[in-house]
Amino acid sequence: MAKGEAVELEVGDRTVRVSNPDRVYFPARGETKLDLVRYYLSVGDGIVRALRERPCMLHRFPSGVAGEKVHQKRVPNGAPPWLETVRVQFPRYHRHADELCVTELAHVAWAVQMSTVEFHPWNSRRADTERPDEWRIDLDPMPECGFETVRRVAHVAEEILDELNIRGWPKTSGGSGMHIYVRIEPRWGFADVRRAALAFAREVERRAPDEVTTTWWRKDRDPEKLFVDYNQNARDHTIASAYSVRGVPEALVSTPIRWDEVDDVDPHDCTIATVPARFAELGDLHAGIDDVAYSLEPLLEWADRDGVEADDS
């Protein structure tokens, strides 16, 4: 292959053409656009499971992560006929968008060819985009809050989930925090899911008041505390999926982990250079995430007890 020459990759039954394969996307180690495609192919089952049938916003970096970032909801004209989309409505603006709806690995490879680095799916699926089937617990440390606090608070969340007989699936955020995902029955709208998430966040805060905050306005938060960001469950709010690369020079990856890894994992060790071997050895640690869907009724009872309203912040 001549330098700069496009390459064609066989992805399942599809052929995906990758232009500018030698373009450096991640300056820390010099990984290229083609390296990024190959990373996603190496975790294929995991990334497809994380995105399957969800409206997906694409974070694109046409010149690499040192350049401009483009947030793209709409699939552009000229996409291949085998690409799948799902239409979502934005009533406030009287608009809609046909967003990428991944059902196979070639859809992911196509998106990377279009300079996508990060995949940010909705927490609902195309069967009913208004009823989420995923509750997201986002442990978001403030600027002076260290990762040791993130570890401790993750265990507090795990303890509460265990008491509710709910299984949570942890992953690094690909940044300074941690995410825990829970499959839920798609019976409730976004407002109720957010309300349940806030009730849970306040329970975490009650158990770790010196380390956790649910204060809404960032300017009012203690910079040494961890914010349990319940608002990531609001409509059209998205966070990086499991196995999504992040748009940083080191090519960090939002990586599924076991609960017994929480105390030892270093998010900076989880990159496109290391996660493929981990995936080959361990498989997808979120492989069972769809096996059981839980009810939000206990958390909504907590919300009623605490007087949490749908728009309470």
Side-chain angles (χ1 to χ4, degrees):
M1 179 185 73
K3 185 173 178 61
E5 182 180 339
V7 299
E8 291 188 345
L9 300 175
E10 299 304 313
V11 185
D13 296 330
R14 317 292 187 190
T15 299
V16 179
R17 182 178 183 273
V18 180
S19 61
N20 301 307
D22 299 319
R23 177 171 291 162
V24 173
Y25 267 41
F26 305 99
R29 289 184 304 274
E31 285 117 339
T32 65
K33 182 179 182 180
L34 186 58
D35 291 328
L36 180 62
V37 176
R38 286 175 171 157
Y39 159 75
Y40 277 116
L41 297 183
S42 77
V43 296
D45 289 346
I47 188 64
V48 171
R49 180 174 289 107
L51 302 177
R52 185 179 297 280
E53 298 193 349
R54 301 185 184 282
C56 189
M57 178 162 39
L58 309 177
H59 288 202
R60 298 175 53 240
F61 295 80
S63 60
V65 301
E68 177 188 11
K69 177 163 76 168
V70 178
H71 295 87
Q72 183 154 347
K73 294 182 178 181
R74 292 170 176 80
V75 168
N77 294 331
W82 45 262
L83 201 73
E84 295 193 34
T85 62
V86 55
R87 178 163 293 186
V88 291
Q89 304 291 334
F90 300 98
R92 178 184 299 181
Y93 306 107
H94 306 288
R95 295 179 180 177
H96 66 265
D98 293 323
E99 299 195 13
L100 176 65
C101 185
V102 168
T103 61
E104 59 179 280
L105 186 54
H107 297 160
V108 176
W110 170 86
V112 180
Q113 152 58 19
M114 297 298 293
S115 72
T116 299
V117 172
E118 300 188 18
F119 291 85
H120 286 238
W122 284 41
N123 60 339
S124 60
R125 305 198 201 226
R126 66 179 173 184
D128 189 344
T129 59
E130 298 307 310
R131 294 187 182 275
D133 75 332
E134 188 167 80
W135 159 35
R136 296 167 174 175
I137 303 166
D138 181 6
L139 307 182
D140 182 14
M142 293 297 97
E144 298 174 28
C145 175
F147 198 68
E148 285 302 316
T149 299
V150 178
R151 300 180 199 274
R152 288 193 293 271
V153 175
H155 286 306
V156 174
E158 179 190 18
E159 174 186 88
I160 300 169
L161 290 171
D162 284 347
E163 292 171 9
L164 292 166
N165 293 314
I166 289 175
R167 181 171 182 179
W169 301 80
K171 65 183 181 73
T172 65
S173 69
S176 58
M178 196 173 292
H179 302 152
I180 305 165
Y181 283 3
V182 176
R183 282 290 183 268
I184 57 174
E185 299 167 356
R187 294 166 46 194
W188 297 274
F190 288 99
D192 276 335
V193 175
R194 179 184 181 277
R195 185 167 170 259
L198 175 52
F200 182 88
R202 288 187 173 169
E203 181 62 25
V204 175
E205 184 179 29
R206 271 190 285 270
R207 299 194 188 193
D210 295 334
E211 296 185 308
V212 173
T213 182
T214 58
T215 298
W216 175 242
W217 296 109
R218 187 180 183 90
K219 64 181 178 59
D220 296 330
R221 295 178 203 149
D222 185 331
E224 296 184 355
K225 288 190 174 183
L226 181 146
F227 176 52
V228 181
D229 190 354
Y230 52 89
N231 208 48
Q232 297 294 8
N233 295 280
R235 190 182 192 275
D236 196 30
H237 283 231
T238 61
I239 53 180
S241 75
Y243 299 105
S244 176
V245 182
R246 305 307 304 270
V248 295
E250 299 80 13
L252 301 182
V253 172
S254 184
T255 306
I257 58 175
R258 301 186 306 263
W259 280 108
D260 63 8
E261 294 181 288
V262 166
D263 290 336
D264 299 313
V265 66
D266 182 343
H268 291 89
D269 291 339
C270 300
T271 72
I272 65 171
T274 62
V275 170
R278 174 183 169 85
F279 189 90
E281 177 185 357
L282 301 177
D284 180 11
L285 292 181
H286 283 190
I289 195 170
D290 293 313
D291 291 351
V292 180
Y294 297 95
S295 173
L296 286 179
E297 287 176 355
L299 290 171
L300 292 172
E301 291 173 3
W302 289 4
D304 291 339
R305 175 198 69 192
D306 296 341
V308 174
E309 299 298 332
D311 61 351
D312 187 1
S313 59

